[in-house]
């Protein structure tokens, strides 16, 4: 018998960035499944994690966008499993994980061509 259900999507990227800075400090990486920062306790990505990620991916902003989208997926899955009734909205999750990242389309395209 053939099933028409799609399989479970594979896991997203490992949440191991940004690297610790300074080198021996606690890393500003997410503590799962709550997705708070393991160094400072704020919702991840905390301001320091954002700063370090921007620096770490300065030469490869596309990789940062892909990484953030993967973690958005992982965090959404964790937080909905943890608290299905009280999980953040998709808009809030997108704003928290992706919207601050490097690739945002300007409201008006530069040059204003047609
Ligand atoms: Zn932090």
């Amino acid at each position: 018998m053939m099933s028409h259900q799609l399989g479970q999507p594979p896991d997203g990227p490992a949440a191991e960035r940004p690297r610790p800075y300074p080198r021996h400090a606690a890393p500003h990486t997410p503590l799962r499944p709550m997705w708070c920062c393991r160094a400072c306790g704020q919702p991840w990505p905390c301001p320091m994690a954002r700063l370090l990620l921007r620096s770490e991916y300065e030469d490869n902003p596309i990789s940062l966008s892909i990484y953030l989208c993967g973690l958005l997926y992982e965090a959404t899955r964790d937080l909905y499993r943890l608290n299905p009734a009280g999980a953040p909205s998709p808009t809030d999750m997108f704003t928290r994980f992706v919207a601050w990242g490097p690739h945002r389309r300007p409201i008006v395209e530069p040059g204003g061509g047609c």
Side-chain angles (χ1 to χ4, degrees):
M1 181 174 137
M2 287 190 63
S3 172
H4 294 285
Q5 287 187 324
L6 297 174
Q8 184 75 6
D11 290 342
E16 52 195 22
R17 301 285 177 113
R19 289 183 224 134
Y21 184 84
R23 202 168 165 191
H24 300 293
H28 288 264
T29 52
L31 187 61
R32 297 177 71 171
M34 291 85 66
W35 288 83
C36 59
C37 176
R38 70 180 67 242
C40 66
Q42 297 182 63
W44 195 91
C46 63
M48 183 57 84
R50 293 179 186 199
L51 187 65
L52 293 171
L53 284 167
R54 279 190 183 271
S55 172
E56 205 167 315
Y57 286 90
E58 184 178 9
D59 296 329
N60 197 349
I62 293 172
S63 289
L64 176 56
S65 291
I66 293 169
Y67 180 66
L68 293 172
C69 290
L71 293 188
L72 166 66
Y73 165 75
E74 288 290 307
T76 301
R77 184 167 60 181
D78 283 353
L79 294 174
Y80 275 84
R81 282 182 182 160
L82 201 61
N83 185 4
S89 73
T91 302
D92 289 345
M93 292 295 286
F94 181 82
T95 300
R96 176 176 164 185
F97 281 85
V98 179
W100 65 272
H103 287 284
R104 285 176 289 178
R105 182 175 292 177
I107 294 172
V108 177
E109 292 294 331
C114 48

